[in-house]
Amino acid sequence: MSRARMPRVRTSRARTYLIAATAASLAVVARRALRGRVRRSPLWPLPALEEPISGQRGRSGSIRVLVSGRDEPAEGVVRLHLEAMDAGDLPRWEPGAHLDLVLPSGLVRQYSLCGDPSDRASYTVATRLICEEEGGRGGSREVHEQLHEGSEIEVRGPRNRFALVSSASYVFVAGGIGITPLLPMLRAAQAAGADWRLLYGGRSRATMPFLAEVENLGGPERVRIVAEDEDGLPDLGGLWADVPQGTAVYACGPEGLLGAVEGSLPEHCSLHVERFAPGASAGGSGAFEVELRRSGTVVQVAAGQSVLAALKPVVPNVSYSCEQGFCGTCQQRVVEGEIEHRDELLTDSERDDSLLICVSRARGERLVLDL
């Protein structure tokens, strides 16, 4: 080989190495981008598996926490203080946010954060014991009987679909344990110097958590306490007197109380509601069919029946937990059809092409799921 040709060989080899190195770098970048995309939305893209499986939200937001404190702020109510197992700060949250607790049995239950948002070292939640005779499904009993100081559990979130909007004036309405998401809002409104008032009702003063705190926070000129055993049911008649234009109204409690608020709300106020269970939607509750795209199976969903209940006999391994549209375990991608969303979880972008099959339904006669 002549000396004149050797530089060309070196140049050619260098160019080959450079191309290979660039391709390898691009591949690494692509893999990292894909992993990030999947972490942000674990349902994308659902693979074309031969055996259908349910899509479920990933555990990328899961945190192991220690129950560092437990007390009873009212009869039948347990408050838990949760600290991260590692030394890092816990994710930030704002008033109205809730936390998913993954209980020892695997049940997932949602509880409003009622502590101080500026405290990055711990979370605080509270739950009332709901017996089976009252419609309880075991989650609150498990919290009361199995979670004690020193217990370790997994939590997910926080998430917030009940965020406190900026306003010069607020009216807060709480029923029983419904005070928990409103408590950080009251503190925030007080700190901001906003005009606010609270109606807080319960069966008795002994069963109403955080009663002393809310009374001290606003005094009798802002806080009205209605204990049913003393005063009967709350009268909303005087609640709206002299309420300014644009007042933001926040309510959380039993369905009867929320219905009364909705029915009496002045037109010049905006209403923000958080329910103990998903509210019934008007219309769209008739029968429809669901096609499972991957298998071609068509399942009939009866009027009043959930998609989840209809699918269980056909897809026995379908994932679910809370059955109330809160936890997201049963989220499925929708290929065709119009959705009537009844959940308290999905973001606006997620609602475009997915639903929670435990509560949401079809607006029309048919849905096609990527199952």
Side-chain angles (χ1 to χ4, degrees):
M1 181 178 293
S2 66
R3 293 182 180 178
R5 296 181 61 185
M6 289 183 68
R8 296 181 183 177
V9 173
R10 293 195 184 101
T11 300
S12 177
R13 288 177 178 171
R15 184 179 295 112
T16 300
Y17 294 153
L18 178 60
I19 292 172
T22 301
S25 298
L26 291 174
V28 170
V29 171
R31 285 196 298 271
R32 288 176 178 173
L34 179 59
R35 284 197 298 267
R37 179 65 178 86
V38 171
R39 279 197 301 269
R40 291 191 298 272
S41 181
L43 292 177
W44 180 91
L46 280 174
L49 301 177
E50 294 182 1
E51 179 182 356
I53 62 170
S54 67
Q56 56 181 304
R57 304 177 80 84
R59 293 175 171 254
S60 56
S62 298
I63 305 169
R64 295 293 297 179
V65 297
L66 174 74
V67 178
S68 59
R70 168 182 163 137
D71 63 359
E72 298 183 6
E75 291 181 4
V77 177
V78 161
R79 173 170 52 186
L80 302 178
H81 301 281
L82 310 173
E83 294 185 0
M85 297 294 293
D86 57 34
D89 288 341
L90 291 167
R92 298 182 185 275
W93 63 278
E94 296 181 350
H98 72 265
L99 199 65
D100 297 349
L101 270 61
V102 184
L103 302 178
S105 67
L107 288 175
V108 180
R109 293 294 183 263
Q110 291 68 40
Y111 298 107
S112 296
L113 287 161
C114 55
D116 182 359
S118 66
D119 180 7
R120 302 292 303 282
S122 67
Y123 290 140
T124 302
V125 297
T127 177
R128 180 181 300 284
L129 175 62
I130 308 297
C131 299
E132 287 72 12
E133 300 80 37
E134 300 174 305
R137 297 176 301 114
S140 65
R141 181 171 296 280
E142 190 169 349
V143 171
H144 278 244
E145 295 181 354
Q146 297 192 33
L147 297 187
H148 302 276
E149 284 193 41
S151 299
E152 296 180 16
I153 60 169
E154 177 186 341
V155 299
R156 303 173 189 168
R159 289 193 295 269
N160 198 343
R161 297 192 67 85
F162 192 46
L164 184 66
V165 300
S166 178
S167 178
S169 175
Y170 298 97
V171 171
F172 299 100
V173 182
I177 197 65
I179 191 64
T180 51
L182 302 184
L183 190 57
M185 296 184 183
L186 296 174
R187 301 187 191 116
Q190 180 77 355
D195 177 26
W196 65 271
R197 66 185 70 171
L198 166 69
L199 172 62
Y200 181 15
R203 288 174 293 182
S204 67
R205 286 178 171 267
T207 63
M208 298 168 69
F210 313 116
L211 187 58
E213 179 176 351
V214 298
E215 287 183 313
N216 293 333
L217 189 63
E221 66 278 4
R222 291 186 186 271
V223 177
R224 178 183 166 201
I225 304 299
V226 181
E228 187 175 341
D229 63 344
E230 300 174 8
D231 311 306
L233 295 175
D235 178 11
L236 302 185
L239 183 62
W240 314 117
D242 304 321
V243 172
Q245 183 81 22
T247 294
V249 178
Y250 281 80
C252 182
E255 193 61 35
L257 178 63
L258 299 184
V261 172
E262 292 171 336
S264 63
L265 185 76
E267 293 184 358
H268 61 271
C269 297
S270 63
L271 180 60
H272 310 263
V273 169
E274 183 164 82
R275 288 179 158 84
F276 293 157
S281 300
S285 58
F288 59 97
E289 67 178 28
V290 171
E291 178 187 334
L292 310 183
R293 173 56 54 89
R294 301 185 195 178
S295 64
T297 303
V298 175
V299 178
Q300 301 298 321
V301 181
Q305 182 185 32
S306 70
V307 177
L308 173 62
L311 290 186
K312 281 182 183 179
V314 181
V315 189
N317 63 339
V318 66
S319 295
Y320 65 94
S321 180
C322 76
E323 299 184 74
Q324 295 191 60
F326 295 133
C327 74
T329 304
C330 68
Q331 183 176 351
Q332 298 291 344
R333 193 166 76 90
V334 177
V335 179
E336 295 177 17
E338 189 176 359
I339 309 165
E340 180 183 297
H341 293 285
R342 300 184 179 183
D343 65 273
E344 301 290 336
L345 175 69
L346 297 183
T347 64
D348 291 340
S349 60
E350 287 175 321
R351 290 171 187 266
D352 290 340
D353 63 356
S354 63
L355 87 166
L356 301 188
I357 61 174
C358 66
V359 292
S360 297
R361 303 177 65 79
R363 286 193 178 275
E365 297 180 353
R366 186 169 180 269
L367 285 177
V368 180
L369 303 183
D370 190 7
L371 260 175

